[in-house]
Amino acid sequence: MVGYDTVILKFDGASRHNPRGPAGCGWVLYDEDESHEIETGKDYLRFNVSNNQAEYQGLIDGLRYIQGNISCNKVYVRGDSEIVIRQMLGQYNVNSHNIRSYFDKAKEIENDLYHNGVEIHYGHISRADNWKADKLANSAIDD
């Protein structure tokens, strides 16, 4: 495993004709000052996937990568979906049954990282600050 003190995970999802799709997600993992891109990922999610489901899948995929490949003390998670960020912070309830399994999976990975000594901090960023993850999510659909 590659070791870092702090990493930054940016994630995004896209669903064209929301919620019918097609949909995709993307994520980018950076070092602490974003001077080095550690890894990127994207996934085509097919049809009948909402934008919020795609956003969560981007988060899950990025967290899974960290879980299996990165040793670190802190993860700063950044996304342009206010709903996902606030749900993960416990500020918004998860009322949609379509989102519940995604939220539960993200929390399961978060808890595993936490029990392995990793602090996770969530924050909302603008779409402009999330351009690379957005580009990956859309290219997952287009490719």
Side-chain angles (χ1 to χ4, degrees), residues 128-142:
D129 289 336
N130 205 27
W131 68 271
K132 179 90 184 229
D134 177 70
K135 183 177 178 181
L136 288 164
N138 280 288
S139 73
I141 299 169
D142 296 334

Side-chain angles (χ1 to χ4, degrees), residues 4-71:
Y4 297 89
D5 179 56
T6 302
V7 294
I8 298 169
L9 172 64
K10 294 185 177 182
F11 70 94
D12 202 12
S15 178
R16 302 205 180 129
H17 313 291
N18 188 29
R20 292 182 276 295
C25 66
W27 56 270
V28 185
L29 188 65
Y30 296 99
D31 65 358
E32 183 171 7
D33 62 3
E34 295 187 48
S35 63
H36 174 68
E37 190 177 283
I38 299 167
E39 188 61 79
T40 65
K42 65 181 181 177
D43 193 17
Y44 175 62
L45 304 175
R46 305 186 197 284
F47 288 83
N48 297 315
V49 175
S50 74
N51 193 68
N52 287 336
Q53 288 170 311
E55 294 272 359
Y56 264 109
Q57 191 61 55
L59 171 61
I60 290 165
D61 289 354
L63 289 175
R64 276 187 179 144
Y65 181 83
I66 293 168
Q67 185 182 39
N69 300 283
I70 301 293
S71 172

